[in-house]
Amino acid sequence: MAGELFKSKFVPGKPGSGNLFDEELMPNDRPVVCLGIEFPNDEARREYFTEKLREFLSDPEFRKIEGFPIGEDEDILALSDPPYYCACPNPWIGDFIRQWESEKPQKNDLFHYVREPFAADVSEGKNDPIYNAHSYHTKVPHKAIMRYILHYTSPGDIVFDGFCGTGMTGVAAQMCGDINAVRELGYRVDERTGNIFDPNAEDPNKPFSKIGTRKAILNDLSPAATFIAYNYNTPVDIAEFKQEAKRILAEVEKECGWMYETQHVDANGKPVLDSDGKPIIGKINCVIWGDVFVCPNCMNEVVFWEAAIDSEAGKVKDEFSCSHCKTMLTKRNMERAWITKFDTVIGQNIKQAKQVPALISYGVNNHKFEKKPDINDLQLINKIESLSIPYDVPCMRMLDGQETRRNDPYGITHVHHFYTKRNLYTLSKFKNAINGSRYFRPLQYQFDSLVIRQSKLTRFLISYYFHGGGGWIGTPLSGTLYIPSFSIEVQPFETWKNRIAKTLIRMKSSNDGITISTEDAGQVNKLHSCSVDYIFIDPPFGSNLNYSELSFLCESWLKNRTNNITEAIESKTQGKNSETYRKLMTVCFSKTYTILKPGRWITVEFSNTSAGIWNGIQTALADAGFIVANVSALDKKQMSFKAVNTPTAVKQDLVISAYKPNGGFEERFITEAGTEEGVWDFIRTHLKYLPVAKIKDGKLVTISERDPRILFDQLVAYYVRKGYNVPISSSAFQEGLAQRFDPRDGMYFLHDQALEYERKKSQAGTLEQGSLFVSDEASAIAWLRQLLKNKPQTFQDINPLFMRELSGWNKYEQTLELAMLLDQNFLCYDGKGALPSQIHAY
């Protein structure tokens, strides 16, 4: 029977792809129990709790909760699936916590829970079916999160993610109960006991965790994010969903299919006829649209596609001639051509930068062809432009912001301007058909992928088109709302058909293990003190991404938008600088500190190259009450477009492990604070939470957190936060440290830790001496000199290492950015010109 308890809950997908989804039907008429209430079926459960949520929405005080999204009651209710998911603050989180806690085996957590920080660097790629099932601005691979959850928690423990994005933490929490998924991480699992072993551990026969799902509370400020998270983590009746998705496709194609028809032509552009002498009609797959400019010499229009494309080189020419007067031109020295037209959606004339269709890709009998748009194609476009769309269309003015208003100069000012009239009509028809379906939520989730893919943001990849090597229909440029000079109008029918399989990549587990809320992470009203066992968060970092702006298109279709007043970012438009960002993050961390149980851990994934933002995050953590124990790396393997093309972007993210002091120490501190014994009690307790050894590339490396200067810095920060004077000087601290604890290689250990360190050192060989202690500009330059003396390195290589060294930076010293230090003190080789002798020698 024990083996049965730990069977995989998922049906395997393709070999090597992991266990993805359930292929069995899920009866809709079986009784269900939710929060102690029995219902005849799941629909009855949904109706009951939807009415309860409606009552909450009618309360003006409920709507005053920080981060309450911008949306009407009926739109919020339509998206929500209470009590598991609310597209607003979730009133039932506390009820779930009480239920989950009651299901745990009774034990004294203070004495049973002991964990070192997860000190190993993690490398997990994004090329996974689950990760790729739905796009988002940024997310952490669920397999990476699984490693942290397995390390810090036991089955049934409650995990919280306040910036959940697409819900990968929820996916990871559920997949900790899947034997095959755990084995894919390289761990060994005993099916009889459920014990998990790490073959790379010092003792590979000592279990470090157990198979079993964890509970997850997911929250995000963005309704788009929580809606995706809900669908990732909620099962669906596969057979019925497929049938409904195909029915809707047929309905939409019946009404809108004619808009994507084109005459089949031969190589000379002449119509190809069938055996009856009638023109053969093909189905448009996509249309490439290109900018139109005005020649400054002859004032004639220049079609950018015709003038600037170098088909042999597979790129856009830097210089090209005007087709009318032969003047040599560049894109920069021309003005755009403009058109004025009547916008039937908002009922007024508008002026927009002109784009024209340049190339049509279409299919006939499963064969692909291309053609230059002919008179029939242009007439079809004009006919569609004159139509009034009979369905609801999102036509809001774009949100005030850097990305949302970046296209204003070109007349792209409203949501519907991001689509051709043809795609706008078809998408609105899809949305109308979805709204009346019993599978509204998974269908809307699938529709979300069309919102961006079918927009003008979709890029044309020129080199792939002419030279092959990949698909030439590119995704939108991540992190922006940039409309390229050559955009692609993708026909939505095939996208809808292809997305069905990805929509079904989701968890099978019962909803009972996940609850999702949409509100400010600094509030989460129904989360109370000491109620969660572990926290994993991937929060926004500074000005990297403006989430509310990037989600605006999707949320406009959802009719439920982010309330960005408390959005923790840097934004000139929102009037938020780095100090505002730090304060907002402190509020969020203070909430997570309150809800975390004493002695438990928080993992913060960090993705920013700014030393100032890095220090701001660490300061916010300390101000909230957390104590940082370790900083390691997370390598996502595949970089984004920005990471590949931006010299200052990095492939590795940093991961902070911090803990909340346990209740026993906090109680003792009240009486010990003014004495020296309080100092050593703090250090003794803190050393227990630090890793004993760090292995990198098979070598033992220095643990900076055990350096006496950083230990004293942690002590001072803790005392200041508690409002006490530090009862010991720095020099006395150094002497007392040497008297009470075991020094090893410039680090300090508890006695039993020192013995363990010596054992691991003897196994690993010599210690790879870390570095100079970085505390100010001079020591930072010396550290860089030492690092670069061994070999030349790129900014992407140096930055993660540099950021980890900043833990000891003097608080009164202005934080300096790595790019500035490198530029002012070292030589940079950009690949141009003669190779410097230093690099040549290396």
Side-chain angles (χ1 to χ4, degrees):
M1 286 298 293
E4 288 294 313
L5 293 175
F6 304 105
K7 281 176 62 179
S8 169
K9 294 184 177 182
F10 308 93
V11 171
K14 295 178 180 179
S17 68
N19 298 327
L20 302 180
F21 46 79
D22 175 29
E23 283 290 355
E24 298 177 0
L25 294 185
M26 295 170 46
N28 292 302
D29 56 353
R30 63 185 178 187
V32 297
V33 177
C34 179
L35 293 178
I37 307 173
E38 185 169 342
F39 299 94
N41 52 52
D42 200 49
E43 192 59 38
R45 181 271 308 169
R46 184 178 292 114
E47 289 177 4
Y48 173 83
F49 282 105
T50 297
E51 288 308 307
K52 291 293 183 183
L53 182 57
R54 189 187 302 276
E55 293 175 13
F56 279 106
L57 290 171
S58 66
D59 181 359
E61 293 302 313
F62 183 65
R63 280 188 163 272
K64 291 180 182 178
I65 294 174
E66 290 283 1
F68 197 99
I70 302 168
E72 299 298 325
D73 287 6
E74 292 306 316
D75 296 316
I76 291 172
L77 291 170
L79 290 179
S80 301
D81 184 15
Y84 303 118
Y85 162 57
C86 294
C88 63
N90 190 328
W92 291 281
I93 291 177
D95 299 313
F96 277 109
I97 290 175
R98 283 188 289 274
Q99 175 179 304
W100 294 338
E101 284 293 341
S102 69
E103 295 169 354
K104 285 184 180 181
Q106 297 299 311
K107 61 184 179 182
N108 187 329
D109 191 64
L110 182 62
F111 295 102
H112 284 79
Y113 184 84
V114 179
R115 298 287 195 284
E116 276 191 12
F118 189 97
D121 291 345
V122 172
S123 179
E124 286 292 349
K126 303 175 184 179
N127 189 23
D128 180 272
I130 293 180
Y131 184 94
N132 292 316
H134 201 295
S135 60
Y136 193 63
H137 320 306
T138 179
K139 55 184 172 179
V140 179
H142 66 278
K143 289 182 179 179
I145 305 174
M146 283 179 68
R147 295 181 184 275
Y148 296 104
I149 293 179
L150 288 170
H151 176 81
Y152 286 115
T153 69
S154 300
D157 276 356
I158 301 171
V159 180
F160 173 69
D161 184 348
F163 301 89
C164 72
T166 58
M168 290 297 101
T169 298
V171 171
Q174 294 198 63
M175 293 196 78
C176 287
D178 178 3
I179 286 179
N180 291 335
V182 172
R183 284 172 172 162
E184 282 186 2
L185 301 178
Y187 298 140
R188 180 169 61 85
V189 182
D190 184 332
E191 292 193 35
R192 184 181 61 83
T193 63
N195 288 334
I196 305 174
F197 306 84
D198 184 355
N200 298 315
E202 182 181 11
D203 183 356
N205 295 316
K206 180 181 178 181
F208 75 93
S209 190
K210 270 187 176 291
I211 284 287
T213 59
R214 277 64 168 169
K215 311 299 184 182
I217 301 167
L218 307 178
N219 177 80
D220 204 283
L221 196 64
S222 165
T226 57
F227 184 68
I228 298 170
Y230 161 75
N231 280 280
Y232 252 125
N233 286 279
T234 304
V236 69
D237 185 320
I238 289 178
E240 288 193 16
F241 173 79
K242 285 181 177 178
Q243 183 178 347
E244 183 68 354
K246 291 176 181 178
R247 182 194 68 78
I248 286 176
L249 174 61
E251 178 183 331
V252 177
E253 199 162 11
K254 181 179 179 181
E255 179 172 336
C256 304
W258 63 272
M259 299 182 187
Y260 300 89
E261 292 180 347
T262 186
Q263 281 192 12
H264 183 31
V265 297
D266 60 20
N268 297 315
K270 294 182 179 180
V272 178
L273 306 179
D274 63 16
S275 57
D276 296 327
K278 296 179 181 180
I280 295 176
I281 303 300
K283 179 187 288 186
I284 293 174
N285 297 317
C286 63
V287 179
I288 300 174
W289 291 74
D291 287 340
V292 180
F293 295 93
V294 176
C295 173
N297 184 56
C298 67
M299 303 307 291
N300 282 306
E301 289 187 350
V302 177
V303 178
F304 198 45
W305 172 270
E306 297 174 353
I309 291 290
D310 185 338
S311 57
E312 291 186 6
K315 65 177 185 178
V316 177
K317 300 174 183 175
D318 294 328
E319 280 192 315
F320 45 89
S321 63
C322 172
S323 57
H324 304 281
C325 67
K326 307 305 179 185
T327 299
M328 293 306 295
L329 305 169
T330 65
K331 187 176 178 181
R332 290 185 177 181
N333 69 9
M334 295 187 296
E335 297 291 333
R336 287 180 176 269
W338 294 85
I339 59 169
T340 300
K341 64 178 182 179
F342 184 74
D343 187 333
T344 58
V345 176
I346 57 177
Q348 64 186 47
N349 286 324
I350 60 170
K351 182 181 179 182
Q352 290 184 332
K354 186 175 182 179
Q355 280 197 325
V356 295
L359 189 72
I360 295 175
S361 172
Y362 66 100
V364 176
N365 296 328
N366 295 321
H367 291 86
K368 292 183 179 180
F369 302 92
E370 291 173 1
K371 60 181 284 192
K372 183 178 179 180
D374 55 33
I375 186 64
N376 295 312
D377 298 309
L378 299 178
Q379 287 176 350
L380 177 65
I381 291 172
N382 290 334
K383 179 181 178 180
I384 296 170
E385 283 291 330
S386 66
L387 294 176
S388 292
I389 300 176
Y391 308 108
D392 193 19
V393 171
C395 56
M396 286 75 69
R397 179 71 170 91
M398 293 300 291
L399 180 73
D400 190 17
Q402 180 178 339
E403 286 302 325
T404 41
R405 294 290 177 92
R406 71 147 57 227
N407 298 294
D408 274 20
Y410 314 116
I412 310 297
T413 57
H414 291 65
V415 172
H416 63 287
H417 292 161
F418 281 78
Y419 306 91
T420 63
K421 186 66 172 288
R422 173 164 43 198
N423 273 4
L424 183 67
Y425 191 116
T426 308
L427 288 177
S428 66
K429 171 59 182 176
F430 264 114
K431 186 71 172 72
N432 178 263
I434 288 168
N435 288 343
S437 173
R438 63 175 296 201
Y439 283 95
F440 165 74
R441 293 169 193 84
L443 288 168
Q444 178 65 47
Y445 169 77
Q446 178 164 315
F447 176 79
D448 285 348
S449 62
L450 274 67
V451 168
I452 299 299
R453 187 68 166 170
Q454 266 54 52
S455 74
K456 296 178 181 178
L457 301 172
T458 301
R459 295 173 295 148
F460 170 61
L461 304 180
I462 300 173
S463 61
Y464 285 160
Y465 176 78
F466 287 106
H467 295 156
W472 50 269
I473 302 178
T475 56
L477 187 61
S478 61
T480 75
L481 293 179
Y482 167 73
I483 296 179
S485 288
F486 301 120
S487 65
I488 301 184
E489 176 191 20
V490 180
Q491 175 250 96
F493 307 131
E494 289 302 315
T495 305
W496 178 266
K497 192 183 301 180
N498 294 334
R499 292 297 305 185
I500 292 176
K502 289 194 173 184
T503 301
L504 294 172
I505 295 176
R506 51 178 63 215
M507 298 297 98
K508 178 198 172 184
S509 297
S510 167
N511 287 8
D512 290 339
I514 303 285
T515 185
I516 305 172
S517 187
T518 311
E519 56 185 306
D520 177 15
Q523 303 298 321
V524 197
N525 278 258
K526 297 300 179 178
L527 267 175
H528 302 302
S529 177
C530 304
S531 58
V532 303
D533 299 293
Y534 171 61
I535 297 170
F536 183 96
I537 58 173
D538 173 25
F541 290 99
S543 58
N544 272 16
L545 293 170
N546 292 323
Y547 289 86
S548 59
E549 295 184 34
L550 297 174
S551 296
F552 191 74
L553 287 181
C554 180
E555 292 181 350
S556 296
W557 287 94
L558 289 175
K559 296 185 177 180
N560 199 21
R561 304 194 306 280
T562 300
N563 181 343
N564 64 14
I565 293 174
T566 57
E567 185 179 21
I569 61 170
E570 287 184 77
S571 168
K572 291 182 180 179
T573 306
Q574 296 183 30
K576 296 172 182 174
N577 56 22
S578 58
E579 180 60 18
T580 311
Y581 167 74
R582 186 192 65 78
K583 289 178 179 178
L584 287 167
M585 286 308 306
T586 300
V587 172
C588 294
F589 286 142
S590 295
K591 179 64 178 182
T592 57
Y593 183 88
T594 299
I595 66 177
L596 187 63
K597 293 176 181 177
R600 293 284 186 150
W601 292 87
I602 180 174
T603 299
V604 182
E605 198 268 349
F606 176 85
S607 182
N608 192 297
T609 59
S610 167
I613 295 297
W614 170 244
N615 279 348
I617 281 289
Q618 294 194 90
T619 301
L621 273 168
D623 289 346
F626 289 108
I627 300 175
V628 175
N630 183 69
V631 178
S632 54
L634 171 60
D635 185 352
K636 296 179 182 177
K637 294 184 180 180
Q638 293 173 308
M639 294 186 287
S640 66
F641 178 88
K642 280 188 172 182
V644 172
N645 292 278
T646 306
T648 56
V650 293
K651 181 172 69 171
Q652 287 189 336
D653 295 345
L654 297 176
V655 178
I656 305 172
S657 296
Y659 65 90
K660 177 178 179 177
N662 68 48
F665 169 72
E666 295 273 84
E667 292 171 6
R668 295 195 305 273
F669 186 77
I670 295 174
T671 58
E672 298 174 346
T675 68
E676 238 186 83
E677 181 51 37
V679 169
W680 304 121
D681 194 1
F682 171 84
I683 295 299
R684 194 175 298 109
T685 302
H686 181 54
L687 289 176
K688 291 178 182 177
Y689 283 92
L690 299 182
V692 172
K694 282 187 182 181
I695 308 293
K696 186 174 178 62
D697 299 328
K699 299 179 181 178
L700 200 65
V701 296
T702 302
I703 303 169
S704 60
E705 290 82 8
R706 291 186 177 273
D707 185 285
R709 288 160 293 190
I710 290 188
L711 289 173
F712 186 70
D713 194 52
Q714 291 281 22
L715 173 76
V716 172
Y718 186 79
Y719 269 76
V720 170
R721 187 166 59 252
K722 291 292 185 180
Y724 292 99
N725 293 322
V726 181
I728 193 171
S729 67
S730 176
S731 57
F733 175 81
Q734 297 272 356
E735 293 176 9
L737 199 63
Q739 294 169 3
R740 292 170 172 80
F741 304 98
D742 291 20
R744 296 290 189 278
D745 299 321
M747 301 175 286
Y748 281 87
F749 299 83
L750 300 174
H751 182 66
D752 58 337
Q753 290 178 333
L755 296 177
E756 184 180 350
Y757 174 77
E758 287 291 349
R759 185 172 65 255
K760 291 187 176 181
K761 182 178 177 181
S762 65
Q763 294 171 348
T766 59
L767 171 73
E768 184 176 87
Q769 280 304 329
S771 42
L772 301 166
F773 189 79
V774 176
S775 60
D776 53 19
E777 181 177 2
S779 58
I781 294 171
W783 179 87
L784 287 167
R785 186 173 291 114
Q786 181 188 66
L787 180 72
L788 295 172
K789 184 178 180 180
N790 296 326
K791 67 173 182 178
Q793 298 190 52
T794 66
F795 180 94
Q796 292 182 335
D797 295 325
I798 301 168
N799 187 263
L801 303 174
F802 178 72
M803 302 285 260
R804 290 163 111 170
E805 296 296 324
L806 293 182
S807 299
W809 193 269
N810 290 335
K811 298 296 182 288
Y812 54 82
E813 288 276 346
Q814 179 182 355
T815 306
L816 297 176
E817 298 298 334
L818 175 61
M820 179 185 297
L821 289 170
L822 291 172
D823 184 59
Q824 293 179 351
N825 299 280
F826 299 91
L827 296 175
C828 176
Y829 178 60
D830 59 4
K832 300 176 182 178
L835 194 69
S837 59
Q838 295 93 330
I839 298 178
H840 185 69
Y842 169 74

